[in-house]
């Protein structure tokens, strides 16, 4: 086996580069290593090593002020058998994900279809509708959202104007989680832009041919738009599902860091934060993080597995 420096040409002759050529090659290699070193160092320092440490700490009793003590599977055993708030946080999070993600994607697709025109004002409206996604995760917006849904907030005023009794958004656990879901739906801008790009890629000739065949708008949507847009829907579904599990700021601000009322807004990430930085059960919080990773991985795998039934690619002949 020849070395990367000593090579053979087509005629089988051995070529041994000079010392100057070897020095130049080594300099080029070192230059390449220097350019990729920030990524390599950052990956090890801020990704790989923290992941390994998190896995280790999930098997320990660690309170941030004393060295971690190995306790094996006790954190996981406590999580599944002796912590009712954990199951409540998981329940609230699943409601938030399975209700919020479809509503968010449906609303984003609706707005994208409305903006899929040749109007001169479309650019302005795209920016306007995308704006909530830029500021939607901020503390200021969460505070504003809390005021909007207050007992004397604009939402209850609007309901009273329609003759509907006001809702105690901060007193009813079921109503409280819907505050977070509505905020999630309001942040539809990124999904909208991705849907809009997908809609732009659908050839207009398909719709023209369908019109000639007498198809109405609903039939065009079902037979053309959805199948052609299904890869984009898959991408948005996966990304928004992962993002929904990571939601923290709105739940923390709206519930004032408690997950109330009656743990109605106790999202998984909020409870993880409380365990780690309020109760100083950092080992338990790391165990929760790994279970969240497993749950998200399973849901993502299910979405990808089911995509064989509803995602259509032109390269595969529409299958």
């Amino acid at each position: 086996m020849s070395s990367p420096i000593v090579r053979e040409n087509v005629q089988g002759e051995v070529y041994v580069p000079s010392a100057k050529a070897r020095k130049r090659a080594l300099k080029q290699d070192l230059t390449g290593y220097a350019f990729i070193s920030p990524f390599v160092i950052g990956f090890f320092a801020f990704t790989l090593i923290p992941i390994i440490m998190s896995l280790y700490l999930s098997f320990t009793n660690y309170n941030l002020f004393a060295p971690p003590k190995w306790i094996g599977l006790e954190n996981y055993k406590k999580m599944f058998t002796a912590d009712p708030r954990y199951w409540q946080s998981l329940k609230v999070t699943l409601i938030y994900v399975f209700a919020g993600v479809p509503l968010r994607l449906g609303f984003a697709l609706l707005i994208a279809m409305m903006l899929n025109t040749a109007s001169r004002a479309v650019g302005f409206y795209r920016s306007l509708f995308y704006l909530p996604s830029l500021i939607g995760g901020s503390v200021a917006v969460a505070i504003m959202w809390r005021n909007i849904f207050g007992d004397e907030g604009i939402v209850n005023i609007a309901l009273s104007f329609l003759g509907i009794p006001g809702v105690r958004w901060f007193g009813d656990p079921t109503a409280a989680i819907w505050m977070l879901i509505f905020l999630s739906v309001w942040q539809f801008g990124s999904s909208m832009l991705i849907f809009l790009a997908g809609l732009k890629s659908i050839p207009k000739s398909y719709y023209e041919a369908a019109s000639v065949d007498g198809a109405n708008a609903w039939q065009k949507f079902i037979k053309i738009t959805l199948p052609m847009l299904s890869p984009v829907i898959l991408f948005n579904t996966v990304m928004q599902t992962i993002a929904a599990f990571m939601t923290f700021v709105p739940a923390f601000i709206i519930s004032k860091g408690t997950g109330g009322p009656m743990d109605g807004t106790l999202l998984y990430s909020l409870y993880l934060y409380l365990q780690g930085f309020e109760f100083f059960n950092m080992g338990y919080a790391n165990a929760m993080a790994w279970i969240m990773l497993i749950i998200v991985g399973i849901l993502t795998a299910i979405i990808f597995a089911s995509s064989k039934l509803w995602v259509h690619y032109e390269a595969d002949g529409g299958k």
Side-chain angles (χ1 to χ4, degrees):
M1 183 175 180
S2 61
S3 69
I5 296 178
V6 179
R7 299 183 295 271
E8 294 184 0
N9 58 19
V10 178
Q11 290 76 24
E13 299 174 349
V14 177
Y15 167 71
V16 180
S18 63
K20 185 177 181 180
R22 290 197 298 270
K23 185 176 180 181
R24 184 169 59 250
L26 178 60
K27 184 178 180 181
Q28 291 175 346
D29 291 342
L30 292 176
T31 301
Y33 293 142
F35 274 108
I36 68 172
S37 62
F39 168 78
V40 174
I41 295 172
F43 173 75
F44 278 95
F46 301 109
T47 302
L48 185 60
I49 294 176
I51 287 175
I52 296 173
M53 286 300 301
S54 173
L55 182 60
Y56 164 72
L57 290 175
S58 71
F59 297 102
T60 66
N61 181 12
Y62 180 44
N63 63 3
L64 294 177
F65 303 107
K69 180 181 178 182
W70 183 269
I71 58 174
L73 296 174
E74 289 301 316
N75 285 326
Y76 295 93
K77 187 184 299 183
K78 175 186 174 182
M79 192 185 310
F80 294 126
T81 62
D83 188 358
R85 291 195 77 191
Y86 170 80
W87 290 105
Q88 174 65 14
S89 69
L90 183 58
K91 173 186 173 182
V92 170
T93 303
L94 292 177
I95 293 173
Y96 177 80
V97 171
F98 287 112
V101 171
L103 287 174
R104 185 175 186 172
L105 294 183
F107 194 65
L109 178 57
L110 174 63
I111 300 299
M113 294 184 67
M114 293 172 60
L115 294 179
N116 189 28
T117 64
S119 172
R120 292 183 178 180
V122 167
F124 169 76
Y125 286 114
R126 289 175 190 167
S127 302
L128 183 65
F129 283 121
Y130 184 69
L131 187 61
S133 292
L134 294 177
I135 62 174
S138 67
V139 174
V141 169
I143 294 174
M144 178 196 72
W145 209 255
R146 182 180 175 86
N147 293 330
I148 287 175
F149 283 87
D151 292 340
E152 303 297 330
I154 190 173
V155 172
N156 278 344
I157 292 175
L159 292 176
S160 300
F161 181 77
L162 297 174
I164 302 174
V167 179
R168 296 185 66 248
W169 298 99
F170 297 101
D172 184 351
T174 303
I177 186 60
W178 280 100
M179 272 195 304
L180 298 180
I181 292 173
F182 292 150
L183 178 56
S184 171
V185 174
W186 184 64
Q187 303 167 16
F188 65 90
S190 58
S191 300
M192 177 203 68
L193 289 182
I194 295 173
F195 279 137
L196 190 57
L199 290 171
K200 292 291 185 183
S201 67
I202 301 177
K204 293 183 179 180
S205 58
Y206 291 0
Y207 295 103
E208 294 170 355
S211 298
V212 172
D213 292 337
N216 56 36
W218 176 251
Q219 291 171 328
K220 292 177 184 178
F221 177 73
I222 294 296
K223 299 295 184 180
I224 299 176
T225 304
L226 283 183
M228 296 294 294
L229 205 61
S230 57
V232 179
I233 295 174
L234 172 64
F235 174 80
N236 267 337
T237 301
V238 172
M239 298 304 295
Q240 294 304 320
T241 299
I242 296 173
F245 272 96
M246 297 170 59
T247 302
F248 169 75
V249 172
F252 181 83
I253 299 299
I254 289 175
S255 70
K256 297 184 177 180
T258 64
M262 298 174 60
D263 290 342
T265 59
L266 188 65
L267 293 182
Y268 199 106
S269 57
L270 176 57
Y271 189 48
L272 189 154
Y273 165 83
L274 293 176
Q275 285 290 344
F277 297 99
E278 290 287 336
F279 309 142
F280 299 109
N281 296 327
M282 188 57 70
Y284 189 72
N286 278 280
M288 287 185 61
W290 278 93
I291 295 299
M292 176 191 278
L293 176 64
I294 293 172
I295 293 172
V296 173
I298 291 173
L299 286 178
T300 303
I302 291 173
I303 293 172
F304 275 108
S306 67
S307 68
K308 299 177 182 179
L309 304 176
W310 56 275
V311 177
H312 305 270
Y313 298 97
E314 279 190 288
D316 297 331
K319 296 181 180 180

